Amino acid sequence: MAAETAAQFTPVIYMLGFGVLAGVPALIISRLIAPRRRYNPVKFLPMECGQMPTGEGRSHFMMQYYSYILMFVVFDVMSIFLFAWASSLLLIPRTATLSIMAFLGIMFAAMGYALYLSGRKGIW
Amino acid sequence: MASTPEEFRFGNFVGSLIWLILIVLIIISLVGLPIIFVILFYVPLPPVNGEILTPYLFLSMMVDPTRTLPIIKFLIHTHLFKLVVFPGFTFAALLAAATIFIERKFLAKMQLRVGPLYVGKVEGILQLAADGLKLISKEIIIPSGSDKPIFWASPVAFVAAAAAVTALIPVAPGWVVANISVGLLAVFAILGFFPLIALLFSWASNSKYPFIGGLRALHQMIAFEIPFFLSALSVVILAGSLNLTDIAKAQHPFWFIFFLPISAFVFFISSLAELERVPFDLPEAESEIVAGWLTETSGMIYGLLQLGTYVKLYALAALFVVLFLGGWAGPQIFPQELIPGYTGEKIYNPVTVNAIFWFTVKTFGVIMLFLLPRGINPRIRIDILLHTGWYKLIVLSFINMFVALALIYGGVLGPGGLLTR
C-alpha cells in the first residue's frame, strides 16, 4: 500500500526533474554566449538605487506581524485535518459530523481569541 | 558623419551568424547523429501493433504515412510524451508564453497604449522571441557576497516546482501526468515551496530590497494559505474525493461554482495572492522596494523566474477550472469523424479533442480574469493584506462549507440526491 502510494508520485518527481533539465541548459547556454566583463567591481555591488551600499545586506529585520505567524502554525494544521474528514464524509456515519463541529467550535474560539489578542497593542 | 565601427557592420553580423550555424551543424553531425544511431540500434524499441519495432521498420514506416499513424498513436500514449509535451511541460510553457504576450497587449489596450507593436510586423507577434533572445544573451550579474549555489539553483527550482504543479492537473479524461489519489493536497504541498524559494533567493542575493521582498512573500503566504485551503474544502465535501480527475467528473450536471460562489471568490482572491499579482504584488512592489525579491536578477535568471511565474499562473487557473468550472465539461462541438468515410487507423478522438478544447478555453478565461486586476487595481498595504486574509476570507470560506454540508445532508447532492445524475 505504501509502495503503491509512493509509486503514484513518481511522475511528479520526473516532472520536477524535467523542470531542472529544462532550466539548467538555459543557464549554461546563457553563460556560454553572454559577455562577461569583470573589470568594474562596482558593477557587482548590491543594488541600492545608484548609491554605494551601506551596512549589511542580510540584517535583522523587524517582523511586525509575528502573531500571525504563530497563529499560522496552529491553524494551517487544523485546515489540513479538515480535509481528512471532508474527503471521507460520504463514507462515515452522520454523527461524526457533530464531533467535527465541536472541533471547529473550539478552533473558532481559539482563533477569535488569538485574533483579539493580536489586535491589541503593546503585547508583542 | 562618424563611420560605423568595424565590429558593428551588418556584414560582420551576418558573417558571425553563418559561422554560428556552421558550428551548430558540425556539432550535430559529429555528436548528435551518432547518438541518435546508437539509441536506435542499442535501445530496445517498443512493440507496435504486435511486432517489435526495429530501426529499419521505424525508418520504413516513417516514409509511408498510413504506417506512421500506429507509431504516432503509440508515442502519444507513452509516459514520456505526457510528461514532456502534452499535459506536461511544453503545453504549460506554451500557454505561459501566450499569457505573457496577451497580458502585455491586454494591459496596453486597457490603458490606451499600443503595447508591443514592431517586432514581427503584425501587432508585435514576435516580441516574445525577441525578448527570449535578449534575455539569453545578456550577462548574468551575481552580486558580490551572495550565496552562489543558492543564487544559481533557486530559478531552476522555481521552474521545476511550477512544472511539478502542472503534472497534477487533469486536462482531459485520462490525460494527466500523475493521477494521484490525494492530488489536491499534493498541489497545495508543492505550492508551499514557492515562498520558500523566494525567501532563499532573496537571502542568497545579499541585498536589502530582495530581503524585504522575500519576507513579504512569506507574510503573504501566511495570510492567504489558510483561506486557500479552506475554500477548496467545500469542493472536497461535495465531490467526496481528493483526486482532481474525480472532482472534475463529480460536477457533471452542475458546476460547483453554482453551489459554492463564495468559495470560488475566496479561491480566486487567494490564488491572486499566491501568484503575487496585483493587488497582492507586495513581494515585488516596484514602486516601493525596486523590484522586491527580483531586484538582483539579470539575464536568464530573470527569464527562468518569469517562466516559472507564468507556468504557475496557468497551473492555478487550471486548478480553478477543475475545482469550480467543471474541468473539461462542455457541449460536443467537434465532428465524430474528421474525414468522412475513412476506415483506417485513427488517432483522432472527438471526445478527447472536445475536452481539451473546452479546458483550454475555460483556462484562458480564468487567466484573463487573473490579468484583469493589474489594469484596474492599486496595490494594497501589508497590514490590510493580513487583516483581509485572517478576518474576512477565512470566515467567508467557512460559510460555503456549511452550505455544502446542508446540500449533502439535505439530500440535494451526494449519493441518491435530487440533483445527482
Side-chain angles (χ1 to χ4, degrees):
Chain A
M1 184 62 194
E4 270 178 38
T5 315
Q8 282 183 336
F9 283 90
T10 42
V12 183
I13 305 293
Y14 287 154
M15 198 72 185
L16 210 73
F18 187 74
V20 173
L21 275 186
V24 169
L27 286 179
I28 291 177
I29 292 171
S30 169
R31 194 69 191 242
L32 287 180
I33 66 175
R36 294 178 73 189
R37 311 243 162 81
R38 2 193 89 253
Y39 47 77
N40 188 356
V42 176
K43 182 168 131 186
F44 297 98
L45 287 178
M47 157 81 194
E48 274 187 26
C49 311
Q51 305 288 319
M52 294 294 271
T54 53
E56 295 250 329
R58 309 172 180 122
S59 54
H60 281 281
F61 189 75
M62 181 67 189
M63 304 269 283
Q64 287 173 345
Y65 306 101
Y66 192 67
S67 55
Y68 290 110
I69 295 176
L70 280 181
M71 279 155 63
F72 178 77
V73 174
V74 178
F75 296 115
D76 202 33
V77 177
M78 175 206 84
S79 62
I80 290 298
F81 271 140
L82 289 179
F83 272 92
W85 160 69
S87 61
S88 56
L89 181 75
L90 303 176
L91 309 174
I92 54 178
R94 292 188 172 198
T95 45
T97 308
L98 288 177
S99 51
I100 210 81
M101 284 302 139
F103 173 71
L104 270 184
I106 295 170
M107 277 300 176
F108 265 137
M111 187 184 278
Y113 186 60
L115 283 175
Y116 163 70
L117 278 189
S118 73
R120 282 170 63 184
K121 298 219 177 346
I123 65 167
W124 296 103
Chain B
M1 182 181 139
S3 65
T4 323
E6 182 70 21
E7 65 242 82
F8 290 132
R9 294 251 171 89
F10 185 67
N12 286 3
F13 173 69
V14 173
S16 67
L17 270 190
I18 290 172
W19 266 113
L20 204 65
I21 291 169
L22 195 68
I23 290 169
V24 167
L25 278 180
I26 289 172
I27 290 175
I28 284 176
S29 55
L30 284 185
V31 180
L33 288 181
I35 286 177
I36 288 174
F37 276 93
V38 165
I39 287 175
L40 268 186
F41 279 89
Y42 285 98
V43 174
L45 285 167
V48 170
N49 279 1
E51 48 185 334
I52 300 290
L53 196 63
T54 59
Y56 303 109
L57 208 56
F58 183 79
L59 290 176
S60 63
M61 278 178 170
M62 292 291 283
V63 181
D64 184 5
T66 55
R67 297 182 73 192
T68 317
L69 279 181
I71 300 183
I72 295 176
K73 196 174 178 181
F74 175 80
L75 283 180
I76 65 174
H77 283 98
T78 52
H79 269 301
L80 189 69
F81 182 84
K82 282 188 179 176
L83 207 80
V84 176
V85 187
F86 174 52
F89 193 81
T90 310
F91 181 64
L94 278 180
L95 273 182
T99 307
I100 296 176
F101 182 73
I102 286 173
E103 174 179 23
R104 293 177 69 171
K105 287 305 265 191
F106 181 56
L107 284 180
K109 298 285 183 233
M110 280 170 79
Q111 295 164 348
L112 301 181
R113 295 182 283 118
V114 287
L117 195 63
Y118 295 102
V119 189
K121 302 294 180 194
V122 186
E123 288 288 312
I125 201 91
L126 292 179
Q127 182 68 44
L128 265 183
D131 281 349
L133 277 178
K134 182 198 76 176
L135 281 177
I136 210 165
S137 62
K138 275 179 89 170
E139 184 178 2
I140 295 174
I141 298 173
I142 298 174
S144 61
S146 63
D147 195 332
K148 279 187 185 137
I150 297 180
F151 196 87
W152 281 103
S154 322
V156 178
F158 200 87
V159 174
V165 180
T166 62
L168 297 157
I169 307 289
V171 175
W175 283 93
V176 52
V177 179
N179 194 11
I180 297 177
S181 54
V182 291
L184 191 58
L185 290 185
V187 169
F188 291 156
I190 301 170
L191 282 176
F193 281 129
F194 291 102
L196 289 182
I197 295 172
L199 190 65
L200 266 181
F201 186 79
S202 58
W203 177 261
S205 51
N206 188 28
S207 181
K208 294 192 188 77
Y209 295 114
F211 190 48
I212 297 173
L215 283 180
R216 283 183 174 194
L218 206 64
H219 274 112
Q220 195 150 307
M221 181 191 82
I222 280 160
F224 282 91
E225 197 91 325
I226 296 178
F228 190 62
F229 289 174
L230 289 178
S231 54
L233 185 73
S234 42
V235 173
V236 175
I237 288 176
L238 285 190
S241 167
L242 286 169
N243 185 318
L244 288 174
T245 310
D246 287 350
I247 288 175
K249 277 179 185 161
Q251 30 193 321
H252 175 1
F254 302 102
W255 299 351
F256 283 163
I257 196 169
F258 299 129
F259 303 116
L260 314 165
I262 305 174
S263 269
F265 175 73
V266 173
F267 190 86
F268 181 77
I269 297 285
S270 354
S271 309
L272 275 181
E274 292 273 328
L275 291 165
E276 299 167 5
R277 293 195 68 79
V278 178
F280 305 107
D281 67 334
L282 288 153
E284 43 179 310
E286 72 271 1
S287 56
E288 304 165 20
I289 45 171
V290 190
W293 66 282
L294 300 170
T295 301
E296 299 292 348
T297 54
S298 53
M300 206 53 209
I301 286 185
Y302 176 76
L304 283 183
L305 287 173
Q306 200 73 355
L307 174 70
T309 310
Y310 280 89
V311 169
K312 199 173 133 195
L313 173 67
Y314 154 71
L316 277 177
L319 194 64
F320 187 89
V321 169
V322 167
L323 290 184
F324 293 104
L325 294 181
W328 50 79
Q332 181 78 32
I333 59 166
F334 282 87
Q336 285 300 315
E337 284 177 326
L338 209 56
I339 310 164
Y342 175 72
T343 52
E345 188 79 36
K346 282 193 285 192
I347 55 170
Y348 168 74
N349 182 351
V351 177
T352 308
V353 173
N354 194 53
I356 293 165
F357 172 76
W358 282 112
F359 184 84
T360 316
V361 166
K362 286 178 195 173
T363 308
F364 246 106
V366 178
I367 286 177
M368 293 302 267
L369 274 183
F370 277 139
L371 300 183
L372 187 67
R374 191 166 164 193
I376 56 179
N377 266 43
R379 185 178 307 123
I380 71 172
R381 231 166 53 204
I382 189 157
D383 57 330
I384 297 179
L385 174 110
L386 283 157
H387 195 273
T388 312
W390 277 95
Y391 287 80
K392 295 175 185 160
L393 289 186
I394 289 182
V395 178
L396 277 181
S397 54
F398 268 115
I399 290 175
N400 253 347
M401 195 198 82
F402 291 117
V403 170
L405 274 183
L407 285 174
I408 292 278
Y409 287 143
V412 182
L413 284 174
L418 284 175
L419 296 179
T420 313
R421 167 172 53 108

